[in-house]
Structures are given as structure tokens and as C-alpha cells.
Amino acid sequence: MLTGVGCSIVVVSGGRIPGVAAMVSWLEELERREAAAREKVDELRARIEELTGHLAEQESVLSRLEITRETMTEILSPSAHEVT
């Protein structure tokens, strides 16, 4: 008997290998899971790309608002009205 990861293969008279069906099924399940994981990874990468774009837009808006606040604070400060 040969043993592998989670399965055993037994060669019997007549050349039949009973463990092969289980192994193929196991490999098919692994392939299915890998494909599903790849699909999810691709979806997450696309979502990250989308969110990165939204983040850049909002950081730009925030930066402009902060600059506006700083500028208005300078304009409206009492020292801005003094003539030197």
C-alpha cells in the first residue's frame, strides 16, 4: 500500500486502483478552491484599486479645504489688517 496526503492507493489484482477516484476528487476540489480564491483575490484587487481612487479624490478635497482654512485665517487675522 502507498500512502499520500490524506489518501491511500492500493493496487489489487486486475489493475484496479480504488484510491484513484478519491484522489481525483480531492484534486478537483483543490482546483475548485484555488479558482475560487483567485477569483476573490481579483475582486479584492479591483475593489482596492477603486477605493484607492476614491481615497485620492477625497485627500485632494481635504487638502484644498485645509489650504482654504489657512488662507482665510491669515486674511481675517487682526495682524493682516495692520499696515507696516
Side-chain angles (χ1 to χ4, degrees):
M1 174 175 15
L2 301 172
T3 59
V5 180
C7 68
S8 62
I9 300 174
V10 179
V11 178
V12 295
S13 62
R16 296 183 64 220
I17 305 173
V20 170
M23 179 180 270
V24 170
S25 178
W26 179 83
L27 290 172
E28 289 172 349
E29 177 63 15
L30 180 60
E31 288 172 356
R32 185 194 67 75
R33 289 182 183 196
E34 287 175 343
R38 280 189 191 93
E39 184 178 330
K40 186 65 174 176
V41 165
D42 290 343
E43 289 172 6
L44 290 170
R45 284 187 176 137
R47 184 71 175 133
I48 288 170
E49 185 177 336
E50 178 185 349
L51 289 172
T52 299
H54 290 308
L55 177 60
E57 291 170 8
Q58 290 307 305
E59 285 176 334
S60 177
V61 169
L62 178 59
S63 176
R64 290 194 319 267
L65 291 169
E66 290 171 339
I67 292 168
T68 300
R69 176 183 295 278
E70 291 170 7
T71 302
M72 293 306 297
T73 300
E74 289 173 8
I75 290 171
L76 298 174
S77 72
S79 60
H81 300 292
E82 294 177 8
V83 179
T84 55

